[in-house]
Amino acid sequence: MRIIVPPDRTARLAQILADSDAVTNVAVVPGAAREPDGDLVFCDVVREGASGVIDRLGDLDIQRDGAIMLEHVDIALSASVDRAERLVPGLGVDAVVWQEIEHNTGEESTLSGAFLTFMIVATVVAAIGVLRDLPILIVGAMAAGPDYGPLAGLCVGLVRRRPRLARRALVALVAGFSAAAAVTVLATWLLDAIGVVDRSMLLAPRPLTSFIWQPDALSWVVGVLAGIAGMLSLTSAKSTTLVGVLISVTTIPAAGNAAVALAYGVPDEAAGSALQLVINLAAIVLAGVATLLVQRLVWRRGHRGADEH
């Protein structure tokens, strides 16, 4: 943790850090900061205690008059760090740094040009995949789709009571899927006009991808499991796990299939794909919110126990 603190609050900051079992290797460099002016403080904080430490620093209004920066340390060869890990309850891999999660999901929930481009490209790829009945294209579309970022942001916004974050995530989801579906309809018409695809491809038997527009009870099961795994991958910073989550749900493929069905006037398939999309989105959000609530409950109990100790 790297902190720029106004000089009149350095002593209180140093005391907060000294009183925390999660903090070690504290270094204070008086007058080193120039923009903003202040003292520069370095310290190491074990992950399982980081959120509590940041909460305590909030009383000093350092975010307003200074800065708090967090950096991941891959390797720390230090007896004091080992001691801090033993003193603080829990494991670092299970710890949730709430401020980090809010920041990361806030960035991923922004309706940007890159987000819209990824949504459109992934949905068009998925549309081609369902027309050609090629699962490999469906998997590629799932992996390329950026929709899990706003979904996670919505979950965090609801649990942490951050209405701006939840609203921004919801806007990104609605706008992203709407734009992607609209462009996919236009792309389908264009490809049909030049003879690359045709309506018969949609109406032909597609045993490998028909599940996309035929949701069942397992759609809920997969969505819930994906929501749990996805949220755990974010809170524990396991990005490799998140890739597996992205290719296990059919949000992007369902949007692509719905757009193609609309383009060719096949209402039953469009409705089935839309239902598949709604089921997956709802299951992911419900499971993600539940996972965060459980993690918050566990964290509060551990934090309370550490304070009492």
Side-chain angles (χ1 to χ4, degrees):
M1 184 179 294
R2 180 159 50 95
I3 307 168
I4 296 177
V5 57
D8 62 323
R9 277 164 268 181
T10 302
R12 283 186 289 165
L13 169 63
Q15 188 61 50
I16 290 174
L17 298 179
D19 291 342
S20 175
D21 291 335
V23 179
T24 186
N25 298 333
V26 180
V28 180
V29 187
R34 290 294 177 266
E35 180 54 42
D37 289 332
D39 299 332
L40 184 59
V41 179
F42 297 95
C43 64
D44 293 332
V45 186
V46 294
R47 183 178 175 86
E48 50 268 44
S51 193
V53 172
I54 297 173
D55 284 343
R56 295 187 186 98
L57 297 184
D59 296 336
L60 300 180
D61 285 333
I62 295 177
Q63 297 94 319
R64 184 190 64 190
D65 303 319
I68 299 175
M69 289 146 283
L70 305 179
E71 299 176 4
H72 289 281
V73 177
D74 295 327
I75 300 176
L77 304 178
S78 168
S80 62
V81 171
D82 294 339
R83 182 170 58 253
E85 290 179 340
R86 291 194 300 269
L87 291 174
V88 180
L91 298 174
V93 70
D94 294 331
V96 180
V97 183
W98 294 104
Q99 297 82 0
E100 177 187 46
I101 298 302
E102 288 185 27
H103 180 268
N104 291 342
T105 54
E107 288 185 343
E108 296 294 329
S109 301
T110 302
L111 182 60
S112 63
F115 174 80
L116 287 176
T117 301
F118 273 115
M119 285 290 293
I120 291 170
V121 169
T123 306
V124 172
V125 170
I128 297 173
V130 298
L131 286 172
R132 297 289 302 276
D133 198 32
L134 291 177
I136 187 64
L137 293 182
I138 300 301
V139 172
M142 291 175 176
D147 53 313
Y148 190 78
L151 285 171
L154 180 58
C155 294
V156 173
L158 292 174
V159 172
R160 296 284 288 174
R161 297 180 182 179
R162 302 291 189 267
R164 291 182 60 185
L165 174 57
R167 186 165 52 250
R168 185 164 69 244
L170 191 58
V171 168
L173 282 171
V174 173
F177 276 111
S178 299
V183 173
T184 302
V185 169
L186 296 176
T188 302
W189 288 340
L190 175 62
L191 294 175
D192 184 90
I194 63 178
V196 176
V197 300
D198 58 67
R199 193 171 187 269
S200 64
M201 297 173 68
L202 183 69
L203 300 178
R206 290 176 286 130
L208 299 180
T209 57
S210 61
F211 68 93
I212 294 173
W213 60 278
Q214 295 175 336
D216 54 22
L218 288 178
S219 299
W220 280 102
V221 174
V222 172
V224 167
L225 295 176
I228 295 172
M231 194 54 63
L232 288 176
S233 71
L234 288 179
T235 56
S236 61
K238 296 290 184 180
S239 58
T240 54
T241 305
L242 184 57
V243 175
V245 173
L246 295 177
I247 61 175
S248 66
V249 292
T250 55
T251 51
I252 294 293
N257 202 110
V260 172
L262 285 174
Y264 281 131
V266 184
D268 291 344
E269 191 160 332
S273 300
L275 179 59
Q276 178 77 269
L277 175 61
V278 171
I279 288 174
N280 276 271
L281 293 177
I284 290 172
V285 171
L286 290 174
V289 168
T291 301
L292 285 175
L293 289 173
V294 171
Q295 288 181 299
R296 186 172 67 175
L297 178 62
V298 171
W299 178 81
R300 283 181 173 177
R301 286 182 174 177
H303 187 61
R304 188 182 303 116
D307 290 342
E308 292 174 355
H309 176 73

